[in-house]
Amino acid sequence: MAIVALFLRDLRLVWRRPGDVAVVLAFFVIATVLFPLGIGPEANLLARIAAGVLWAAALFASMLSLDRLFAADYEDGALDLLLLAPWPLELAALAKCAAHWVVTGLPLAVLAPLIGLAFGLDDRSLAVLALTLLVGTPALSLIGGLAAALTLGARRSGALLALLALPLCVPTLIFGASAIEATATGESFVVHVAILGALALVALATLPWAIAAALRQAGE
Amino acid sequence: MAALHFFANPARFRRFSQRVLPALWVVTALALTIGLYWGLVIAPPDYQQGDTVRIMFLHVPTASLSMAGYLLLAALGASLLVWRHPLAGLMARAAAPVGATYAAVCLITGSLWGRPMWGTYWVWDARLTSFLLLFFLYLGHIALSRAYDDSERGDRAAAILAVVGAINVPIIKFSVDWWNTLHQPESIMRLGGPAIDPSLLWPLLWMMGAMALLFVALVLLRTETEIDRRRLEIAENQD
C-alpha cells in the first residue's frame, strides 16, 4: 500500500505543477513539426517517415522529463527515507517509473496519433502507432529510470542521461517503428508489437533491481 | 577464484603487473610483427576479394575483442557489485577506453573494407548498427565512470551500467544470423568447422592472439596508472 501511496504522491506532485508535463508534450510537438518544415511538405515522404519521426521524438521527449525523476527526492532527502523504508526499494523504483509513464508515456500515446494525422498516416497506422507507444513506452520509462538513477549527483547529468539511455532504447525504437511500417505495407503488425511487449516485460522484470542498486549506491 | 582474491590488494597487483608487463610487451611486439608480416605480406590475396581481404586481419580481431572487452567490463562490474572487489573498478576504468578504441578501429576498418566490397562506407545493417551501439555503450561507461568527483561512486555506477548493457553483446554476436542482411554470416566459429582457407585462417587466428595480448598489456598498464592516480586522489583529499 505504501507503494501505491508513493505512486499517487508522485502523480500529485506533477498535478500541482502541470507545466512540467506541458513542456515535455510541447517539446514532442515542436520536434515532430520540425521535420515537415525541414524536409518539405511532400505527403508521401512524410507518411513514410512518420513512424520513425514520431518514435524518435517520443524517445527524446521522455528523456527530457527523466532528469528530475529521482533528483528532487535525492536533493530534499526523501530518497534517504525510501532507502530506510521497510518495503523493497525495487518496488519504490517501479512505482516512480510507473508514475513517470502515466505523466509522459500515456499522454504521448494519446497525442502521437494527432501528429500522425498531420503526417498523413491512415487510420489503421494511427491505431497501431498509439498501440506501439502504449506497449513500448513503459520500457522507455524503465530504461530512462535506470539512467536517471545512475546519473544522480553526476556532472552534466542531463546529457549523460541521454548518452546512457538512448543506446539501450534502440531495440524499442526499431520494433515500435517497424510495426507501423509493417501496417503501411499491408503486413501483420502483431509480431512487432509482440516483440515490443517482450522488451517491455524484460525491462519490467530486470530493471527495477538495477535501478534500486543504483539508488542504493547513490544514497551511500 | 583464488586469483580473484589474491589481487584484492592493489599494491600486490601492482607488483605482479610490474614484473609481468615488460615481458608481455616483448611478446606482444613480437606477435604483432609476425602476425602483420604474415597477414599483409605472406598470406595470398583472396581469389574473390584480392588484397582488400587483408583488412580482415585487423578488422576481425578488433571486432571479437571489443565484444569480449565489454563482457570483461560486465564481469568486472559484477565482481565490484557482488564482492566489492577493490581492483575491479580500477580495472574496468582502465579497460573501457581500450575496448572503445578496439570498437572504433573495427568500425573504421569495416567501413574501409565495405567501400571496395559493397560499394559503400556505411549501411544501416543489423551488425553494423549494433556495433555502433556497442561503441556508444563504451562511451557511456567511460563518461559515467568519470562523471563524479568521487571516483568510487563513478566506478559503481558504471558497473551497474556494464552489467545491464551486457544484454547487447549476444544481440551483436547473433545479429548476422538473425537478420539476413549485407554483412556476411559468421565464417570462423560455426558448426562444421571454419569456412575459410587455412592460408588465411592461420594468420587471422595469430592476429587474434596478438591483438588479445595487446589488449591485456594495455589494460595492465592502464590499471597500474589508475592505481597511482587513485592514490594521488586520496592524498589530495587528505590535505
Side-chain angles (χ1 to χ4, degrees):
Chain A
M1 275 300 104
I3 300 308
V4 179
L6 179 65
F7 172 73
L8 293 176
R9 163 190 170 266
D10 269 32
L11 289 187
R12 217 174 300 126
L13 284 174
V14 174
W15 182 250
R16 291 196 184 139
R17 292 171 59 185
D20 291 5
V21 177
V23 165
V24 171
L25 296 180
F27 172 83
F28 175 70
V29 174
I30 289 176
T32 48
V33 161
L34 286 178
F35 284 85
L37 295 177
I39 295 170
E42 214 252 298
N44 284 332
L45 179 65
L46 288 182
R48 232 169 49 74
I49 63 167
V53 167
L54 288 167
W55 253 96
L59 204 56
F60 292 141
S62 79
M63 289 305 113
L64 197 64
S65 56
L66 274 163
D67 63 335
R68 298 305 297 164
L69 183 58
F70 298 107
D73 288 348
Y74 179 67
E75 282 154 16
D76 68 13
L79 189 65
D80 294 328
L81 294 179
L82 286 179
L83 288 165
L84 291 172
W87 23 272
L89 190 59
E90 286 78 6
L91 279 177
L94 190 61
K96 290 195 70 80
C97 289
H100 174 264
W101 179 75
V102 169
V103 296
T104 54
L106 204 54
L108 283 178
V110 174
L111 192 60
L114 292 176
I115 316 274
L117 203 61
F119 273 73
L121 284 179
D122 59 69
D123 292 350
R124 219 170 117 78
S125 297
L126 289 175
V128 174
L129 171 64
L131 179 67
T132 56
L133 281 170
L134 274 180
V135 176
T137 44
L140 302 188
S141 288
L142 284 159
I143 295 168
L146 175 64
L150 286 174
T151 53
L152 274 182
R155 293 187 295 267
R156 301 176 305 272
S157 61
L160 188 56
L161 191 152
L163 176 64
L164 302 184
L166 290 177
L168 295 171
C169 287
V170 165
T172 314
L173 168 77
I174 288 175
F175 288 105
S178 65
I180 304 159
E181 200 106 314
T183 315
T185 55
E187 287 173 55
S188 167
F189 59 85
V190 179
V191 180
H192 304 271
V193 175
I195 296 177
L196 205 55
L199 289 172
L201 287 175
V202 168
L204 192 65
T206 55
L207 290 181
W209 277 266
I211 296 173
L215 291 177
R216 275 193 199 101
Q217 57 100 3
E220 270 172 17
Chain B
M1 234 21 210
L4 196 75
H5 291 302
F6 182 75
F7 290 127
N9 180 345
R12 192 185 289 155
F13 169 84
R14 205 171 180 291
R15 280 198 299 279
F16 164 82
S17 107
Q18 274 177 332
R19 215 171 303 147
V20 170
L21 252 184
L24 190 59
W25 280 124
V26 173
V27 175
T28 305
L30 213 64
L32 270 178
T33 314
I34 294 172
L36 286 173
Y37 188 74
W38 194 354
L40 301 183
V41 181
I42 298 179
D46 188 65
Y47 73 100
Q48 230 180 354
Q49 308 187 15
D51 276 329
T52 52
V53 75
R54 301 183 195 282
I55 299 173
M56 172 178 81
F57 297 121
L58 209 53
H59 178 69
V60 176
T62 50
S64 331
L65 286 165
S66 55
M67 280 193 277
Y70 200 87
L71 290 181
L72 172 72
L73 280 192
L76 289 170
S79 61
L80 181 68
L81 294 171
V82 176
W83 296 293
R84 305 229 147 196
H85 197 287
L87 199 66
L90 297 166
M91 201 178 251
R93 190 182 276 258
V98 181
T101 310
Y102 271 48
V105 170
C106 174
L107 284 166
I108 293 167
T109 53
S111 78
L112 290 177
W113 197 1
R115 179 66 191 168
M117 285 304 108
W118 300 336
T120 171
Y121 286 113
W122 182 261
V123 282
W124 294 96
D125 127 294
R127 166 68 54 104
L128 272 63
T129 315
S130 52
F131 225 91
L132 188 63
L133 290 181
L134 179 69
F135 180 61
F136 286 139
L137 282 175
Y138 269 121
L139 291 190
H141 187 280
I142 296 168
L144 185 61
S145 65
R146 286 149 178 80
Y148 293 91
D149 296 325
D150 174 10
S151 295
E152 281 182 35
R153 173 80 214 281
D155 287 344
R156 286 199 303 273
I160 297 173
L161 181 74
V163 171
V164 173
I167 289 177
N168 203 38
V169 174
I171 296 180
I172 299 169
K173 176 86 182 107
F174 296 111
S175 58
V176 177
D177 306 325
W178 290 343
W179 291 281
N180 204 355
T181 46
L182 198 50
H183 203 281
Q184 65 264 48
E186 194 71 65
S187 52
I188 301 172
M189 301 285 281
R190 60 166 210 162
L191 292 172
I196 171 173
D197 191 79
S199 64
L200 292 174
L201 178 65
W202 284 111
L204 179 60
L205 292 179
W206 183 277
M207 273 304 285
M208 278 191 167
M211 292 297 284
L213 285 174
L214 180 65
F215 196 105
V216 173
L218 286 171
V219 170
L220 287 183
L221 176 70
R222 289 182 51 87
T223 308
E224 275 185 24
T225 317
E226 199 54 46
I227 292 172
D228 294 345
R229 201 192 60 77
R230 192 64 59 90
R231 277 182 183 156
L232 274 177
E233 193 179 283
I234 292 167
E236 258 173 28
N237 289 343
Q238 275 171 346
D239 293 340

